[in-house]
Amino acid sequence: MLRPIAAALVALAAGLPFASTASAFELFGYKFFESEEDAATPVPDPLPYEATLQLSGGNADLKDELESNSALVAKQDTPPSGEPGLIARALADQEQLLARLYTAARYGGLVEISIAGRPLAQVVKDGTFPHRAGKPVHVSIKVTAGPSFSFGETAIRLDGGSDVPRLDAVTYGLIKGAPARSDTILDAETAIVAVLKRRGYPFAKVTGRDVVADHATKTVDVTLHAATGPKAVFGTATVSGAKRTDTDFILQQADIPEGAPYTPETLRRAEKNLRDLGIFSSARVVEADTLDADGHLPLTIEVAERKRSLVGGGASWSSTEGVGLEAYWRHRNLFGRAEQLSIEGSVGRLTNGAADDLEYDAHVTFTKPGAFGPATSFSSTVGAKQEKPETYESRAVYGKIRASKDLSDTLTAALGSEVSYAREQDALGSGNYALFGVFGEISWDTRDNILDPTTGFRISGTLEPAYDVETGGLMTFVKGEASAYRALDDAKRFVLAGRVEGGSVVGASLSDIQPSRRYYVGGGGSVRGYAYRNIGPRVETSSGTETVGGLSYLEASAEARIKVTDTIGVVPFIDVGAAYTSEIPDFSEPLKIGTGVGLRYYTPIGPLRLDVAVPLDPGPDDPSFAVYLGLSQAF
């Protein structure tokens, strides 16, 4: 028997909405992370019911998938409005469950739903069913999976596009003998359109599909029909939604050359360039429905500007470094071309010592996105700070300029210069330092999420030749870091993360380098469990031994990030590291090891992190354990 099934594929492609797990919580009468469902108006005449799903001919995985996609099962705690509401939910379920069987290549399946013991077809005809007030209605869902089907004859028919090579169905996953999953067909359609668009056809589309299941042979024959439409080049672009922003600047940053061949990549890059300016809450390029008289494709760049001023802040805490607070004020789009002025301040070690032991940093930064064209930025900063870890004291004023360019979506390069004047003191003595440096940076970042990466990697490096006017020391700072992330399951509930970092100061003796620019290890963001910047070469003093920092360092971390629930995670970790007096790590100092376990609470803005770490080889001034609290993963 031959059975056409294209209509069900349309239903599957459209999809149906389902309930999501609420994540709101209440504190002092206020609700946070409240979803629309939490605040929804109560349903009139709610009709409670109980639903059960029985599957024959399938496995447990298929049953789990059907239950998770069944509105009747998933929304039992949200009763519909009266009999019509329950009937509508059942009708939607019947179509959705059948589509899910097609996803599993089960084209001979059957979905039977009964309400209060009556078949759904009869209930729809009658418009009612027997039930008692206050008693839940029993809803039964019986699914017969049926046999698995494989692809039979497959083909792609193309109308137009003489310059397009023949579209082979096998290339798009429609392979004879392979499981005939309906999502494979839909994925093939999406891929075909994407290929045609990349070849310069903006109106390419799939015009039809012939999908026929042969129940005698348990095969599905598929023929997809596609049309290219006319080939196009980019036409004139106009801007919509700009209020303060200069429209010429928007067009310049979008960088869509008029007359150039149409490609979706050009439009995607244009949208990214505009979003990266930081002044738009949304930015998209809309293509016209038809070509103009010259055969060009007109474009409209639609933008929505963000509020110009914002105030923010943050806090952190660890048992070794105490409480840290930070605040900032930013003003966007100063002169209508994405300029930004930022005033920022932070205070640290609030609970660790007297007022004189506070650490602070206050600075003003001017940023000009798009300073040298699309995907570029320029910034300049002036500030003052005081640092007082256990190993040294520093008071400094500083300035910095930096220019960067995104070489691709994942590769960024930067050049800049910095100057600082500092008065510093440590176990080797005290002195004034006036440092001038020129630096270059490179970063390759493929992470899927900055705050909570589950796949990808990040590799970065910095090279900075510098000269100290006060000491006459000429030196070069070198630093590199690499981190990688891999999810071990499709749901990304078990993620392995690793990091290695190292640095070196070349061309100067230890005493010629100001203490704050030497390399130290230990504390949050380094080797957890140890005192902040307390791992490194030490010298004898009248009160014992003091850490003085090194000319090189090496550290590494490994974590297993395990999601126990959708909002709670556990993270066992281990950190190792050491600093050395040699320019290249020579392992003359033993690697210090810290280990522990962390707790993660996943929020819409990133995971809240609580880590407890123990130093396995504590030295002077190191605690027996340390606790760290912050936002985002450790690296």
Side-chain angles (χ1 to χ4, degrees):
M1 183 179 89
L2 301 180
R3 181 181 177 187
I5 57 174
L9 291 179
V10 174
L12 178 64
L16 292 171
F18 291 98
S20 60
T21 302
S23 57
F25 66 92
E26 186 170 345
L27 182 65
F28 304 127
Y30 295 93
K31 283 191 174 182
F32 299 87
F33 307 120
E34 185 179 21
S35 68
E36 292 181 2
E37 185 177 279
D38 296 328
T41 303
V43 174
D45 188 25
L47 180 62
Y49 70 91
E50 295 176 346
T52 59
L53 188 150
Q54 295 177 308
L55 174 67
S56 61
N59 55 29
D61 290 341
L62 179 58
K63 183 178 181 181
D64 290 342
E65 182 180 353
L66 292 172
E67 287 181 338
S68 65
N69 284 279
S70 165
L72 287 169
V73 174
K75 301 180 73 171
Q76 292 183 74
D77 294 335
T78 310
S81 177
E83 294 179 353
L86 184 56
I87 294 172
R89 188 174 291 184
L91 287 170
D93 237 27
Q94 190 167 45
E95 186 173 324
Q96 179 71 7
L97 292 176
L98 187 62
R100 289 298 161 182
L101 288 177
Y102 289 174
T103 302
R106 308 273 188 156
Y107 293 90
L110 182 66
V111 177
E112 299 174 288
I113 299 177
S114 62
I115 300 177
R118 295 187 178 185
L120 180 59
Q122 183 65 42
V123 170
V124 171
K125 180 180 178 181
D126 297 340
T128 185
F129 49 85
H131 62 90
R132 292 184 180 181
K135 297 288 185 179
V137 178
H138 180 66
V139 178
S140 172
I141 308 169
K142 294 182 179 180
V143 180
T144 303
S148 295
F149 281 61
S150 59
F151 284 119
E153 299 300 323
T154 60
I156 300 173
R157 309 291 185 216
L158 182 63
D159 180 14
S162 58
D163 61 333
V164 178
R166 177 178 172 270
L167 300 180
D168 185 2
V170 173
T171 304
Y172 296 90
L174 304 177
I175 304 170
K176 188 173 184 177
R181 298 186 175 92
S182 58
D183 53 0
T184 302
I185 302 173
L186 298 175
D187 289 344
E189 294 180 0
T190 301
I192 290 168
V193 172
V195 166
L196 295 177
K197 283 179 175 285
R198 286 198 297 270
R199 286 193 165 268
Y201 296 95
F203 305 115
K205 60 182 179 180
V206 172
T207 57
R209 66 169 79 89
D210 299 325
V211 183
V212 179
D214 187 332
H215 289 256
T217 61
K218 297 181 179 59
T219 59
V220 176
D221 295 338
V222 179
T223 301
L224 300 180
H225 302 270
T228 62
K231 205 164 191 176
V233 297
F234 289 121
T236 303
T238 57
V239 177
S240 171
K243 296 179 180 178
R244 179 177 175 80
T245 310
D246 186 339
T247 55
D248 289 339
F249 176 72
I250 293 175
L251 293 172
Q252 177 197 49
Q253 296 303 308
D255 192 27
I256 306 174
E258 187 173 349
Y262 168 89
T263 65
E265 175 62 21
T266 300
L267 301 183
R268 186 201 63 79
R269 187 177 63 247
E271 292 177 341
K272 181 180 184 300
N273 288 347
L274 294 174
R275 288 194 300 269
D276 288 348
L277 294 174
I279 59 174
F280 300 123
S281 58
S282 66
R284 68 186 188 122
V285 182
V286 180
E287 306 167 28
D289 294 332
T290 59
L291 302 182
D292 63 18
D294 297 323
H296 294 179
L297 179 66
L299 302 170
T300 301
I301 300 174
E302 296 181 352
V303 298
E305 296 181 355
R306 287 178 168 176
K307 292 182 179 179
R308 296 182 60 202
S309 295
L310 70 156
V311 177
S316 62
W317 175 83
S318 78
S319 59
T320 58
E321 298 152 46
V323 174
L325 300 176
E326 61 179 285
Y328 60 84
W329 172 84
R330 291 174 186 161
H331 194 67
R332 300 188 183 108
N333 217 3
L334 284 172
F335 311 117
R337 296 176 74 89
E339 304 87 353
Q340 177 177 282
L341 182 68
S342 177
I343 301 176
E344 304 182 34
S346 62
V347 181
R349 302 176 67 85
L350 283 171
T351 56
N352 283 28
D356 290 343
D357 294 326
L358 292 179
E359 295 188 334
Y360 63 81
D361 185 355
H363 58 269
V364 179
T365 300
F366 174 78
T367 304
K368 178 63 177 76
F372 313 106
T376 65
S377 181
F378 171 82
S379 65
S380 59
T381 301
V382 292
K385 62 181 177 179
Q386 173 173 286
E387 296 177 275
K388 280 199 172 184
E390 299 294 337
T391 49
Y392 64 85
E393 296 181 8
S394 172
R395 291 181 179 177
V397 292
Y398 60 92
K400 181 178 181 179
I401 58 173
R402 181 178 184 272
S404 67
K405 179 174 178 59
D406 294 338
L407 304 177
S408 70
D409 286 348
T410 58
L411 192 63
T412 301
L415 293 173
S417 178
E418 61 180 345
V419 60
S420 65
Y421 183 82
R423 174 70 178 175
E424 300 193 359
Q425 178 180 340
D426 72 343
L428 296 180
S430 62
N432 297 328
Y433 302 88
L435 196 69
F436 173 78
V438 177
F439 61 85
E441 301 172 351
I442 190 77
S443 174
W444 186 13
D445 192 346
T446 68
R447 295 174 297 174
D448 60 339
N449 186 298
I450 295 176
L451 296 178
D452 185 24
T454 59
T455 61
F457 60 84
R458 182 178 185 273
I459 301 172
S460 63
T462 303
L463 178 69
E464 181 183 5
Y467 176 71
D468 195 312
V469 177
E470 289 283 344
T471 66
L474 184 63
M475 62 205 77
T476 300
F477 297 92
V478 182
K479 186 176 180 180
E481 180 180 3
S483 58
Y485 312 86
R486 179 166 185 178
L488 301 184
D489 62 318
D490 293 338
K492 298 181 180 180
R493 302 182 72 89
F494 194 101
V495 178
L496 297 181
R499 176 187 70 97
V500 62
E501 181 179 326
S504 176
V505 185
V506 179
S509 65
L510 195 66
S511 58
D512 286 336
I513 304 170
Q514 63 191 83
S516 63
R517 293 300 301 265
R518 300 174 197 154
Y519 291 126
Y520 305 82
V521 176
S526 179
V527 181
R528 286 164 284 187
Y530 292 83
Y532 178 59
R533 291 192 165 189
N534 197 47
I535 300 175
R538 308 181 75 91
V539 297
E540 293 287 343
T541 66
S542 58
S543 58
T545 61
E546 296 283 348
T547 304
V548 294
L551 294 177
S552 63
Y553 80 104
L554 184 67
E555 59 185 36
S557 301
E559 294 188 345
R561 299 170 181 174
I562 306 165
K563 265 193 171 183
V564 180
T565 69
D566 288 341
T567 56
I568 301 296
V570 177
V571 181
F573 60 84
I574 184 171
D575 302 327
V576 299
Y580 308 94
T581 55
S582 58
E583 291 183 349
I584 304 297
D586 59 4
F587 299 97
S588 58
E589 299 282 343
L591 287 172
K592 296 283 190 174
I593 302 174
T595 187
V597 64
L599 186 66
R600 303 289 184 269
Y601 179 74
Y602 293 91
T603 74
I605 59 173
L608 291 175
R609 172 171 47 90
L610 175 65
D611 287 339
V612 180
V614 176
L616 299 189
D617 184 20
D621 301 321
D622 285 325
S624 56
F625 70 93
V627 182
Y628 306 90
L629 180 65
L631 180 66
S632 83
Q633 298 286 5
F635 59 88

